[in-house]
Amino acid sequence: MKFISTRGEASAVGFVDACLAGLAPDGGLYVPEEWPSIAPATTEESYVDVATRVIAAFADGELSLEVIRGICARAYERFSHQSVAPLVQTGPNAFMMELHHGPTLAFKDVAMQMIAQLFDHVLAERGERMSVTCATSGDTGGAAAAAFSGAGHVDLFILHPFERISPVQRLFMTTTGAPNVHNLALTDDFDACQAIVKALFADRDYVRQTSLSGVNSINWARIAAQSVYYATAQAALGSDRPLRFVVPSGNMGDALAGYVAARCGMLSGFEGVCAVNENDTLNVLFEQGRMRREQAVATPSPAMDISVPSNFERIAFEVSGRDASLIRQVYNQFAQTGDVDLPSQIKGPLRCSGLSSQSISNDTTMTEMATVLGETGWLICPHTAVGTAVARSLPPSESTTVVLSTAHAAKFPETVEQATGRDAPFPDRVKALAGRTEVFEKMAADPGAVREYILTHQRT
């Protein structure tokens, strides 16, 4: 199987090279040249079984089944629940999928643990090293730090917005003590961090010089790995049962994974509602067909404080009939103006994609955490609360609603206490984190300074 760029000006590559590269050389995002057919999950399979089949379908012989199974087994051995992504019932015909049983208590662990195992295996075989970078609005950086900490063939560089993530989120990325993990706290918002990462990848000489790769949700391995828990949810709730997934969304990678699971035949159908906070760019995209760049505002759900959802490009590519020249035109215009009315070839089919969006206010987010506590006795994180609040507002449906619970409440103790009056203590398995020394470098959001830092701190 080959992977092509959404912008059509990069050579097709195999699965491994697409994952190692992250971003395509032409600035586009990799997608499969053809969608593989993957049999739905069954209740007789373990999570590792399903993950192995899914990754094998995308790898298409590049890696042996034995190697893939080993990668997946190692990736999920540190999860506190053997189901990896268990379902709990929250009400009549309503469930929550808990995605916070990994090492850093967030859904990003599900994909990141697998990516780290994949990278280290492939690079060891090739006798190579890479510098891996990621911009994070909170959870990606911690998940990457935990996954790549001590990796023999990777230097990790994390860019996070200074004082725009929770202190607990920061702890997960700044306390590994690993010499190959570097944290840069940039004095701007997440969009500025992400723009710097994209600028680094746009300089192809620099990419070659540093052997640079990325593990944000632009990386296809992230999407492939996250599609697995949609498949296991379908199996657990019944192979023919229609499901409506409500997905707290920022960069849109998690919602895209559900779309991918459906395209590959692992779901009985697909309805995905992107639940967003007051940074409502996705709402404007879906409701008005307009893509605009705005300054992200701070909310109680900081990992979703994003105004430019990168993975929308993959959806736009698909609904346009895979018209790479049109995607290139749209994104070139967006880069110049920051405001684009989507052409009819995208705007019309987008309404039939199975994806939609709805936003929730800050006040509603805070109220929802208290409401869920009263209904269930559970503390939920503010991002999950955006999802449950959106689910509560949706019209009745014959479909079973599944809200993705993206992080543990303990990652946002201040917000949870403010909303509910209750403490959100660390689970026993991560209590030692609070006593560790933090290491990070505060700097301006200057692309040149970041470039120089990576050059001088990567190992040879």
Side-chain angles (χ1 to χ4, degrees), residues 36-42 50 53-54 87 97 223 226-247 254-273 353-355 400 402 404:
S37 177
I38 306 175
T42 69
V50 181
R53 288 200 296 108
V54 170
L87 291 159
M97 183 158 57
I223 306 303
Q226 288 170 202
S227 72
V228 175
Y229 47 71
Y230 285 91
T232 59
Q234 182 74 74
L237 294 172
S239 59
D240 297 324
R241 192 173 185 173
L243 304 180
R244 175 170 64 184
F245 293 96
V246 180
V247 189
D254 211 4
L256 176 69
Y259 176 90
V260 168
R263 287 298 301 262
C264 294
M266 293 186 282
L267 303 181
S268 62
F270 181 60
E271 183 182 356
V273 182
S353 66
L355 287 163
T400 297
V402 179
L404 274 59

Side-chain angles (χ1 to χ4, degrees), residues 13 37 74 77 85 95 208 220 229 298 329 383 446 449:
V13 298
S37 177
R74 292 190 298 275
E77 66 185 3
F95 290 81
R208 285 187 289 271
W220 181 257
Y229 47 71
Q329 174 187 331
H383 307 79
D446 176 6

Side-chain angles (χ1 to χ4, degrees), residues 125-159:
E125 278 203 334
R126 295 182 175 184
E128 298 175 0
R129 294 190 57 79
M130 293 196 84
S131 294
V132 170
T133 185
C134 73
T136 181
S137 55
D139 289 328
T140 296
F148 285 99
S149 176
H153 301 271
V154 170
D155 292 304
L156 176 66
F157 298 89
I158 303 168
L159 281 60

Side-chain angles (χ1 to χ4, degrees), residues 20-92:
L20 290 180
L23 194 69
D26 61 357
L29 307 184
Y30 283 117
V31 294
E33 195 168 38
E34 296 180 352
W35 293 105
S37 177
I38 306 175
T42 69
T43 53
E44 287 75 30
E45 292 179 294
S46 69
Y47 195 91
V48 169
D49 291 336
V50 181
T52 299
R53 288 200 296 108
V54 170
I55 300 304
F58 288 112
D60 195 27
E62 282 191 65
L63 301 168
S64 73
L65 203 60
E66 180 182 9
V67 165
I68 294 172
R69 176 169 288 279
I71 286 171
C72 293
R74 292 190 298 275
Y76 301 120
E77 66 185 3
R78 295 174 61 195
F79 279 63
S80 63
H81 198 296
Q82 64 177 351
S83 297
V84 177
L87 291 159
V88 293
Q89 189 160 10
T90 56

Side-chain angles (χ1 to χ4, degrees), residues 244-328:
R244 175 170 64 184
F245 293 96
V246 180
V247 189
S249 298
N251 232 2
M252 208 181 165
D254 211 4
L256 176 69
Y259 176 90
V260 168
R263 287 298 301 262
C264 294
M266 293 186 282
L267 303 181
S268 62
F270 181 60
E271 183 182 356
V273 182
C274 297
V276 300
N277 60 25
E278 290 189 4
N279 294 287
D280 64 347
T281 306
L282 275 175
N283 262 17
V284 175
L285 276 166
F286 282 104
E287 293 180 7
Q288 301 178 23
R290 180 182 169 203
M291 185 161 58
R292 67 185 186 193
R293 182 187 294 110
E294 294 186 348
Q295 187 75 24
V297 299
T299 74
S301 47
M304 295 156 57
D305 292 349
I306 296 170
S307 70
V308 185
S310 293
N311 274 289
F312 181 76
E313 182 168 343
R314 284 180 166 122
I315 291 294
F317 178 71
E318 292 300 322
V319 301
S320 73
R322 298 195 147 203
D323 188 338
S325 62
L326 180 66
I327 299 302
R328 196 164 59 247

Side-chain angles (χ1 to χ4, degrees), residues 190-239:
F190 168 77
D191 289 320
C193 298
Q194 183 163 256
I196 288 175
V197 169
K198 288 185 176 181
L200 295 178
F201 281 104
D203 185 340
R204 302 313 298 174
D205 288 337
Y206 184 80
V207 169
R208 285 187 289 271
Q209 181 183 8
T210 57
S211 297
L212 194 66
S213 181
V215 289
N216 279 81
S217 59
I218 57 174
N219 193 303
W220 181 257
R222 284 273 303 272
I223 306 303
Q226 288 170 202
S227 72
V228 175
Y229 47 71
Y230 285 91
T232 59
Q234 182 74 74
L237 294 172
S239 59

Side-chain angles (χ1 to χ4, degrees), residues 351-371:
R351 298 189 181 96
C352 304
S353 66
L355 287 163
S356 61
S357 178
Q358 188 166 318
S359 66
I360 291 297
S361 71
N362 291 347
D363 288 344
T364 300
T365 301
M366 301 297 282
T367 301
E368 180 68 13
M369 283 186 276
T371 299

